[in-house]
């Protein structure tokens, strides 16, 4: 699945624009759309063309080119970031997470567990993290492994050792 196909699949239930990210190999962000401020067009073009890592958050916004603060947005999916370092001796790829998709992380050792929501959850940028944590809390509790992060965040989907392990829908 290409980056574009993955974005289309994750955000197929919204007419809003997915929050996209582009970063260097060290996961330091080069550009977020939308981000904290309006990006320069040169920055966007350079990041989209040259960034080794491409990703997205769980959110879709009204406008890529306006600052994210104050914008209405929707949560389309939630993700759990599970690191191998936090779960020594456990084959994270062998667990059935009952998720929409499970992918290896950029390192190829951890996993990203993705749960697509039945319907988008409308919120604001300021309330999105609290709502995301509320949705993921029972998912984290049901697992027998340590979850690194289960909040609103950028998931680097392409450019590392990412590959699909499981996909159910």
């Amino acid at each position: 699945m290409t980056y574009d196909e993955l974005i289309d699949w994750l955000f197929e239930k919204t007419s809003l624009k997915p929050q996209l990210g582009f970063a260097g190999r060290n996961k330091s962000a080069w550009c977020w759309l939308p981000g904290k401020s309006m990006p320069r067009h040169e920055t966007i073009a350079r990041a989209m063309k040259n960034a080794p890592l491409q990703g997205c958050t769980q959110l879709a916004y009204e406008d890529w080119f306006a600052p994210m603060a104050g914008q209405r947005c929707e949560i389309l999916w939630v993700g759990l970031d599970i690191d191998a370092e936090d779960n020594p001796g456990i084959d994270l790829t062998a667990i059935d997470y009952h998720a929409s998709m499970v992918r290896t992380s950029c390192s190829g050792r951890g996993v990203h567990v993705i749960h697509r929501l039945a319907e988008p959850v409308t919120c604001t940028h300021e309330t999105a993290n609290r709502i995301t944590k509320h949705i993921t809390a029972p998912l984290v509790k049901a697992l027998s492994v340590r979850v690194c992060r289960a909040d609103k965040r950028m998931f680097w989907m392409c450019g590392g050792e990412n590959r699909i392990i499981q996909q159910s829908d």
Side-chain angles (χ1 to χ4, degrees), residues 35-47:
K36 291 181 182 177
S37 60
M38 189 173 115
R40 294 183 18 225
H41 291 288
E42 301 82 24
T43 302
I44 297 168
R46 187 172 43 252

Side-chain angles (χ1 to χ4, degrees), residues 82-85 92-93 104-111 161:
I82 304 174
D83 289 344
E85 297 82 25
L92 297 175
T93 64
T104 54
S105 62
C106 291
S107 69
R109 295 183 303 273
V111 294
E161 299 297 319

Side-chain angles (χ1 to χ4, degrees), residues 78-100:
V78 294
L80 308 178
D81 185 3
I82 304 174
D83 289 344
E85 297 82 25
D86 295 334
N87 296 283
I90 298 173
D91 181 1
L92 297 175
T93 64
I95 297 170
D96 184 358
Y97 295 95
H98 305 288
S100 302

Side-chain angles (χ1 to χ4, degrees), residues 48-125:
M48 291 180 86
K49 180 180 177 190
N50 299 325
L53 299 179
Q54 301 169 321
C56 64
T57 68
Q58 305 90 331
L59 305 177
Y61 287 85
E62 295 175 303
D63 188 350
W64 273 326
F65 304 108
M68 58 189 165
Q71 283 199 60
R72 178 179 72 87
C73 58
E74 293 176 343
I75 303 168
L76 279 293
W77 56 277
V78 294
L80 308 178
D81 185 3
I82 304 174
D83 289 344
E85 297 82 25
D86 295 334
N87 296 283
I90 298 173
D91 181 1
L92 297 175
T93 64
I95 297 170
D96 184 358
Y97 295 95
H98 305 288
S100 302
M101 180 183 282
V102 180
R103 301 170 51 83
T104 54
S105 62
C106 291
S107 69
R109 295 183 303 273
V111 294
H112 295 155
V113 180
I114 296 169
H115 294 270
R116 293 196 313 169
L117 303 179
E119 294 297 326
V121 176
T122 301
C123 57
T124 64
H125 171 74

